[in-house]
Amino acid sequence: MKYNLTHITHYEYKEPVNIYHSLACLTPRTLPNQLCADFTIKITPKPTEIVARTDFFGNTVHYFSIHSVHTELTVLTTSQIDRFPLGNDLSLFAKDMTCARAREECWTSTALKIQLLQFMLPSPYVFWDEEIKTFAKDCFPNNQSLFDSVKMLCHKLFTTIKYVPESTTINTPIKTVLHEKKGVCQDISHLAIACIRSMGFAARYVSGYLETLPPPDKPKLQGSDASHAWISVYIPDLGWCDFDPTNDMIPQERHITTAWGRDYSDVPPLKGIIFSAGKHTLKVAVDVLSLE
């Protein structure tokens, strides 16, 4: 699949902003099954400086600062993406890697443990207690493959947690999501990661986009796509494998990966510091246009 991807973030401020410093994590990654053929970023008002760098996790981020007084800010990014199919049913290759064997390898191999530990411990938005461990436990029998266990957990979350747009904020605890049984993709992903880590495995948060399809015989509306989040789990002998618990599926060509980290706090699209006394409003529009 080939896509043109557009992401527009627009802020309006109640009071003038004098100085703004920000990090933008909006550049899609190039991976074995994904090529970011082109990427541009346009910021209005024009920043005093903009610098691209690679963060700790290998994501491309842009630092920019604006020193002129402004009441609006627009960040427009455009990308050209090629997505390729996985080609193989990963579950067939992972059938011999049981939960018991995977847990032993992750915790007894010093080199592997050093590599994975940051994705096995609590992080700013991911934590667990006995209630979360109990919720996850029946999905991870020792003699079942870790791949199938994660699929089972994703299905359990899909049937337990209802996707309700704007039902939570980034600061809503995952225990609240579990109790109220509703949330958005980042909540469901955080809860899935907490469940997996509580069982002794490594899981990371993936941010990106998902192409949405219009109803039959209806045109696709501009701005109808959205940022999306899913998870990736480390399976020994196979590597990192992606799962989308919000949609109960294995990500394929319609999923476009931007970045990954321990949780959302590592990869927000924009985060920064503003010098202003007022509040602001935010609008985001995303278009994932297939060229096929």
Side-chain angles (χ1 to χ4, degrees):
M1 297 292 291
K2 293 180 179 292
Y3 292 105
N4 278 345
L5 170 63
T6 303
H7 186 132
I8 303 174
T9 306
H10 182 73
Y11 289 95
E12 290 188 6
Y13 303 102
K14 299 294 183 182
E15 300 291 337
V17 173
N18 299 310
I19 299 176
Y20 181 65
H21 301 285
S22 184
L23 281 175
C25 187
L26 292 163
T27 309
R29 295 186 69 128
T30 289
L31 305 167
N33 62 343
Q34 175 177 295
L35 171 66
C36 182
D38 186 53
F39 175 82
T40 61
I41 182 169
K42 181 180 180 181
I43 302 166
T44 307
K46 186 176 181 180
T48 304
E49 63 174 331
I50 180 168
V51 179
R53 66 176 180 84
T54 302
D55 72 5
F56 176 79
F57 301 102
N59 307 310
T60 298
V61 295
H62 289 81
Y63 164 79
F64 65 92
S65 61
I66 300 172
H67 295 169
S68 58
V69 178
H70 58 282
T71 57
E72 296 186 31
L73 169 67
T74 301
V75 179
L76 167 64
T77 61
T78 57
S79 311
Q80 293 182 5
I81 306 295
D82 290 341
R83 283 287 281 119
F84 312 105
L86 294 174
N88 296 307
D89 183 354
L90 295 178
S91 63
L92 298 177
F93 293 89
K95 63 180 180 180
D96 294 329
M97 184 54 64
T98 64
C99 289
R101 182 182 166 197
R103 188 180 292 109
E104 181 180 3
E105 291 202 19
C106 289
W107 285 98
T108 59
S109 169
T110 301
L112 190 57
K113 187 176 179 181
I114 291 173
Q115 175 189 342
L116 299 177
L117 193 58
Q118 62 189 323
F119 300 111
M120 301 172 75
L121 298 175
S123 52
Y125 289 117
V126 173
F127 57 90
W128 55 89
D129 57 12
E130 285 303 317
E131 183 180 11
I132 288 178
K133 290 180 68 174
T134 299
F135 177 85
K137 190 173 182 179
D138 65 338
C139 296
F140 293 86
N142 284 333
N143 61 349
Q144 181 171 268
S145 77
L146 176 55
F147 190 95
D148 287 340
S149 292
V150 177
K151 284 183 65 177
M152 185 182 296
L153 173 68
C154 290
H155 182 70
K156 185 174 184 178
L157 289 167
F158 180 74
T159 56
T160 302
I161 311 298
K162 185 177 181 181
Y163 178 83
V164 181
E166 301 181 1
S167 60
T168 59
T169 71
I170 185 56
N171 295 313
T172 302
I174 55 176
K175 287 291 291 290
T176 300
V177 175
L178 182 59
H179 292 161
E180 297 186 356
K181 294 181 171 52
K182 63 181 179 180
V184 296
C185 58
Q186 69 189 19
D187 304 308
I188 299 170
S189 296
H190 281 153
L191 182 54
I193 292 171
C195 289
I196 294 163
R197 291 182 187 172
S198 77
M199 294 291 103
F201 306 112
R204 64 191 184 191
Y205 180 97
V206 184
S207 69
Y209 304 93
L210 174 61
E211 181 199 12
T212 58
L213 302 177
D217 301 322
K218 298 290 184 181
K220 186 169 182 176
L221 300 178
Q222 253 191 328
S224 62
D225 297 292
S227 298
H228 190 47
W230 57 97
I231 67 171
S232 192
V233 180
Y234 187 84
I235 299 178
D237 294 344
L238 195 59
W240 290 99
C241 299
D242 286 5
F243 301 83
D244 184 346
T246 303
N247 295 295
D248 193 20
M249 65 185 298
I250 303 298
Q252 296 289 340
E253 293 99 312
R254 290 172 52 217
H255 287 73
I256 298 172
T257 300
T258 298
W260 57 63
R262 297 166 302 163
D263 59 33
Y264 175 85
S265 67
D266 290 327
V267 292
L270 286 172
K271 62 179 176 181
I273 301 172
I274 61 174
F275 292 81
S276 173
K279 297 182 179 180
H280 68 268
T281 58
L282 168 65
K283 294 182 180 179
V284 178
V286 175
D287 283 309
V288 182
L289 178 63
S290 173
L291 302 181
E292 295 294 319

